[in-house]
């Protein structure tokens, strides 16, 4: 378990919260009782920096990085996407700069190269804590590297360096390097690994996307980041409370940076360690939009998703 930091008040009473959140929860519960599927009250408004959904969508011919069929709500929520996948283990003895891991990748070579994402675990955890993301993301058309860290006690700065070392290994030395477009790379991580993904995005602006999951970091300001960043928090997180971690991390990102913030409802710090539909569907959409430049996925990010039984809130700007 990571170092705990305590909120001054329970999550429902956090500064900056409005009755909108409680109304949204009540509306979602009422909708469920009446036979709905968790829709929020009509009065729950999108965050102020939301923009209108784009009216034009490019064709596959205009974007050579599109992979897979046209997406649907069902396809991005599915446990497996359209691509068959395989995996290969990487021993810590064969690499430097990180602790080895497992690479998941689409088996086909007929669609050209794929973007790649490295995923770091949290404090005291290993790659197995993030293993569910490997085949889930790879089956949507990405090469995914869930890594072990050099030690389980490594801090976010070190984890950021290790994520970048893992991406360098993927693109330069790995057995799947010919399947990867080295210009289209991303990072993800849980807890201190999520804090590490912010460190990696700060250090390497050429990254196409960063996805910190219930992130923990003593640094709360990330004004240097220009990489499109999607942060996931949990309303019941007592290890990295959103009021002192995920929320200020998100708010510190420049408004000129593509950014989004999902706060899971009735969730804990460890929500990213098991299969989670909301984390998967919006991470897939974010990676598709910014790693693959695939505008077909903007429909799931803009207009912003509404509060529901699974979503406490969703903030962001529509992709620029």
């Amino acid at each position: 378990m990571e170092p705990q930091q305590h909120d001054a008040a329970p999550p429902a009473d956090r500064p900056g919260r409005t009755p909108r959140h409680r109304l949204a929860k009540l509306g979602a519960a009422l909708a469920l009782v009446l036979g709905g599927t968790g829709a929020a009250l009509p009065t729950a408004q999108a965050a102020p920096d939301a923009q209108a959904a784009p009216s034009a969508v490019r064709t596959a011919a205009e974007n050579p990085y599109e992979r897979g069929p046209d997406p649907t709500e069902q396809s991005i929520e599915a446990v497996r996407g359209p691509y068959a996948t395989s995996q290969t283990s990487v021993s810590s003895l064969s690499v430097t700069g990180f602790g080895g891991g497992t690479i998941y990748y689409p088996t086909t070579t007929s669609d050209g190269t794929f973007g790649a994402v490295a995923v770091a675990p949290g404090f005291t955890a290993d790659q197995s804590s993030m293993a569910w993301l490997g085949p889930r993301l790879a089956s949507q058309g990405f090469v995914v590297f869930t890594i072990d860290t050099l030690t389980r006690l490594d801090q976010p700065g070190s984890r950021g360096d290790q994520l970048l070392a893992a991406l360098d290994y993927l693109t330069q030395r790995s057995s799947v390097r010919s399947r990867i477009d080295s210009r289209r790379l991303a990072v993800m991580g849980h807890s201190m690994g999520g804090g590490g993904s912010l460190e990696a995005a700060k250090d390497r602006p050429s990254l196409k996307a960063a996805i910190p999951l219930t992130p923990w970091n003593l640094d709360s300001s990330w004004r240097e980041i220009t990489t499109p960043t999607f942060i996931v928090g949990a309303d019941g997180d007592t290890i990295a409370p959103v009021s002192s971690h995920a929320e200020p991390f998100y708010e510190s990102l420049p408004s000129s940076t593509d950014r989004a913030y999902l706060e899971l409802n009735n969730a804990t710090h460890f929500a990213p360690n098991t299969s989670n539909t909301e984390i998967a569907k919006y991470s897939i959409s974010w990676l598709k939009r910014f790693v693959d430049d695939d505008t077909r996925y903007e429909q799931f990010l803009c207009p912003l998703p509404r509060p529901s039984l699974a979503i406490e809130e969703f903030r962001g700007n529509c992709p620029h």
Side-chain angles (χ1 to χ4, degrees):
M1 184 174 292
E2 298 189 2
Q4 295 196 17
Q5 294 194 9
H6 298 285
D7 253 331
D13 298 323
R14 288 197 299 269
R17 295 287 165 159
T18 70
R20 169 173 72 84
H21 300 86
R22 289 184 285 276
L23 285 173
K25 284 187 175 181
L26 288 172
L30 180 60
L32 185 62
V33 170
L34 296 176
T37 56
L41 282 176
T43 54
Q45 301 296 315
D49 55 349
Q51 303 168 5
S55 58
V57 177
R58 287 176 296 174
T59 66
E62 294 171 314
N63 178 23
Y65 305 133
E66 285 186 6
R67 300 290 183 267
D70 289 342
T72 65
E73 196 81 19
Q74 292 71 30
S75 74
I76 62 171
E77 290 184 352
V79 174
R80 292 291 180 272
Y83 288 98
T85 66
S86 188
Q87 65 188 72
T88 184
S89 296
V90 178
S91 168
S92 61
L93 300 177
S94 64
V95 299
T96 57
F98 65 105
T102 303
I103 302 171
Y104 304 83
Y105 58 95
T107 56
T108 183
T109 57
S110 61
D111 282 359
T113 55
F114 296 94
V117 53
V119 186
F123 190 67
T124 76
D126 62 20
Q127 60 166 313
S128 66
S129 67
M130 306 305 292
W132 72 274
L133 279 169
R136 193 150 182 174
L137 297 180
S139 66
Q140 294 285 349
F142 298 99
V143 175
V144 183
F145 197 2
T146 57
I147 69 168
D148 282 320
T149 46
L150 293 171
T151 80
R152 296 193 181 195
L153 306 182
D154 292 336
Q155 297 297 297
S158 174
R159 290 170 191 262
D161 292 341
Q162 293 179 59
L163 282 167
L164 297 179
L167 288 176
D168 291 342
Y169 171 82
L170 263 185
T171 58
Q172 298 169 18
R173 295 179 49 211
S174 76
S175 61
V176 300
R177 61 188 180 277
S178 63
R179 300 171 182 265
I180 299 171
D181 182 346
S182 62
R183 300 164 299 177
R184 299 188 292 115
L185 306 176
V187 289
M188 297 180 70
H190 171 234
S191 197
M192 281 196 181
S197 69
L198 289 165
E199 300 276 3
K202 180 181 73 173
D203 292 344
R204 189 174 292 182
S206 62
L207 292 174
K208 298 300 185 184
I211 305 180
L213 305 172
T214 58
W216 189 98
N217 199 308
L218 292 177
D219 185 351
S220 61
S221 179
W222 301 96
R223 301 189 185 282
E224 314 94 330
I225 290 181
T226 57
T227 295
T229 301
F230 171 47
I231 297 177
V232 177
D235 65 350
D237 193 336
T238 58
I239 294 174
V242 295
S243 61
S244 55
H245 292 270
E247 287 185 313
F249 296 171
Y250 168 78
E251 292 297 341
S252 73
L253 295 169
S255 59
S256 57
T257 294
D258 286 296
R259 60 180 186 166
Y261 171 72
L262 163 64
E263 186 170 318
L264 299 170
N265 189 21
N266 293 323
T268 73
H269 183 69
F270 301 102
N273 292 152
T274 56
S275 181
N276 183 288
T277 298
E278 277 64 44
I279 290 175
K281 70 186 288 188
Y282 296 115
S283 294
I284 289 165
S285 299
W286 198 260
L287 293 170
K288 285 287 191 177
R289 175 59 185 85
F290 294 107
V291 175
D292 289 357
D293 198 23
D294 192 337
T295 56
R296 296 178 298 171
Y297 287 80
E298 285 188 10
Q299 62 183 300
F300 308 113
L301 301 169
C302 185
L304 299 180
R306 302 288 289 259
S308 69
L309 290 179
I311 298 174
E312 167 71 11
E313 67 167 313
F314 202 110
R315 309 179 200 174
N317 50 22
C318 288
H320 297 156

